[in-house]
Amino acid sequence: MKNALNQIYSQREEFIVLGLVGRTGSGCSTAANILSKDVDSLSVMEPCLEGRPSNEDRKKRIICKFASKHWKPFFFIRVRDIITSFILDCTHDEMDYFMKENGIARGIEPLMDEYKNYFDKNKCLDIIKTDSINTLDDVQLESYLDEVCDYIISRLPIFTERLKKLVDSYNANSFIAIYQKIGDNIRKHGIAIQKDDVNVEHIYEIAKFIDSIISALRKMSKNLRDKYKLPRDYFVIDAFRNPFEALYFKEKYSAFYLIAINAPDDDRVNRLGEGLDLSPSIINKLDDKEYPKNSPLSDYSSFISQNISACIQFADIHVHNSGNYRNRDFNLLKYQLVKFVCLIQHPGLVTPSREEKLMQVAYTAKLNSGCLSRQVGAVVTNSDMAIKAIGWNSSPDDQVPCLLRNIDMLLSNNDQEAYSHYEHTNIEFRKVAYAYKEKLPNEEIIDGLNASYCFKDLQNDMDGKKNQVHNRALHAEENAFLQIAKYGGEGVIDGYLFTTASPCESCSRKAYQIGISCIVYIDPYPGIAIDHSIRSGSRNLEVRLFSGAIGRAYHQLYTPIVQIKDELEALIDKKASPAGLENLINGGG
C-alpha cells in the first residue's frame, strides 16, 4: 500500500520548478539560496506546543515534521548567468565594442583577455542551444553533461561576478542597468549585442534556454548527481523580470509555481541603500525600469522589457520578507518557503490560513470586473474576520461594463442603453471616438476581439490631459464599502480590508473613515496612499503585504490527492499485534 501511495505522489515529488520574482532588494536571491540548502542547513525548528498553542503553531509542527522526511535541495539557476552565456556567444570585438559603448572603457583589458577562454568554454552549451542533445549516445551524454555542470555551476557564475565587479568599479551600480539592456536585446534579437532587425520569435529566447538546461540536467546519471551534489529534478529560477517568460513556464509545466518575494518598500529601499550602497536616484531608475507605472501593450518593447508588477500579478504564491539591512531574520522566510514546497509535494497537509481564505475570495471576485485596464477584487470583514462585503472594480449596477461595450455600436447608435447621454450627444467626444475607430485594425487583424474602448482614455485625449475622475468604474474597495451601506450591513469598526491591489488615495481615506484596522494587499498601487492617507491621524491603521497561495495554486496545494484518513488507513498494518496498545495502557512506550 505504501508503494502504491508513493506512486500516486511521485508526480508531485519527483519534479518541481519554482520561479522567483520580486523587485530588486526584495530578497529573491536570498530565497533561492535557502531553497538550494539541504534540510540540516535549513534549521527550521518545530514549534513548542506547550501552553496554549495556536492552530498556526500546530500547522507549523506538521510542516516541519514532513519536511524532515521529504525536503530536497533545489538546483539554483540564475537568470543573470543565462544572460552571461549569451554575452559569451559574442565575439571578442563585439563584446569590447559593447562595453566601451556603455561607458566601460578603462581596466577592461584583463577581463577581455580572460573572455577569450570563457568564449571557448561557452561552446559546451551549443548542443543545448541547438536542441541536439538527443543525438548523443550514453557515453557522450555523460561526458557532455559533466562539462555542462562544471560550466554552469562553477565557471559561469564566477565570470558573471568578475564582470559585475569590473562594471561597477568603473561606473558604480551600472551592472544591473547593462544586464537589463542585454536582456531586452536577447528578447528582441536573440543575441546580446543589439542589431537593427527585431524578430518576435525571440521573445521567449531566455525562457527557452533555461527550459533546455532543465531538460538536459534531468538526463543526468546518479553518478553525476552525486559528483556535483545535485538534487533530482528540483529547480529554482532566480529571477523572472518579464511576465511572458513566466507565462512560458506556466503554460508548459503543471509543476511550475511562480513565487513572489515581497518586502515592505521601506525595508527594500533600506537594503539597497545600506547594503548595496545605491543612491536614491539609482533606486528610482531601477524602480522605473522594473515597475513601470503605465505599461500598455502599445509597442514591441512592452513584450521584451521588464515589468515586475505584471509578474507579481501572475504569481501563484506570495512570500513575505520583512526586515531592513541590519535587522533581518530569515526564519519566517525559510518557513514560508518550506511550507509551500511541502504542500507542492503533498497537497492538503494543512489547511489554508485565514488570510489565504479571504484573499482567495477577493482574488476570485476580481474576475467579475469588466474594466479593460486592470481587474481588482476586495473583501471587507468585521473584527472577527467574518466577511461583510465583497467588491470588484466595475461600472455601477445596471450600467454596462466597458468590456461589453463596442465602439462601432456607439457610433452607429445601436444598443443605446449601453452608452451614456454624454457619449451619444457630445459632438467633440464623438469625433474623438471616431478617430479611435479609424486607428483600429480591420476585422481580419482584430481576429474576433470585441472593439471595446476606455471612456477615460478618450475623454483625456479630448481634454489633452490626464484626469482620473473620468473613470466609469467604481474601485473594488469602494464597491465593497457601498455594499455595506446599500444593504444595511453591520458596522466594520476594527475590521479588515483584503484587496488584490493596495488601495488608492481615495479608497484609503474611505477605509480609514469606516474604521478599518488592517489592510492586506498583494500588489502595490502607485501613489502616496499609504504614506499620506493611511499613516495620518491618531489611529494606527496596519498595512501589510499578503503571504500565501492564491488562484490555481490555492486549489492545487490545499486539495488532497488522497484524503489523509484514507492514506493513514491504507498504511495501517492489519496483521500487527495489539501488544503495543497494551504496553501503552500500562505506561510503557
Side-chain angles (χ1 to χ4, degrees), residues 405 407 410-411 420 422-435 453-460 462:
R405 305 200 316 162
I407 193 73
L410 167 67
L411 295 173
S420 68
Y422 177 86
E423 290 169 298
H424 279 304
T425 60
N426 188 282
I427 302 301
E428 293 303 315
F429 178 83
R430 292 183 71 83
K431 287 180 181 178
V432 172
Y434 184 80
Y453 68 95
C454 176
F455 173 81
K456 180 186 71 175
D457 288 350
L458 295 190
Q459 183 67 31
N460 284 338
M462 189 182 89

Side-chain angles (χ1 to χ4, degrees), residues 539-560:
R539 288 177 47 222
N540 184 22
L541 198 157
E542 182 184 1
V543 180
R544 64 171 181 259
L545 287 160
F546 169 72
S547 173
I550 205 73
R552 64 152 193 155
Y554 182 89
H555 297 283
Q556 288 177 321
L557 302 189
Y558 290 114
T559 303

Side-chain angles (χ1 to χ4, degrees), residues 319-336:
V319 168
H320 187 69
N321 181 30
S322 60
N324 59 33
Y325 173 65
R326 301 186 185 279
N327 180 27
R328 300 185 67 186
D329 180 356
F330 296 121
N331 289 332
L332 177 60
L333 177 60
K334 286 180 183 179
Y335 173 67
Q336 291 174 93

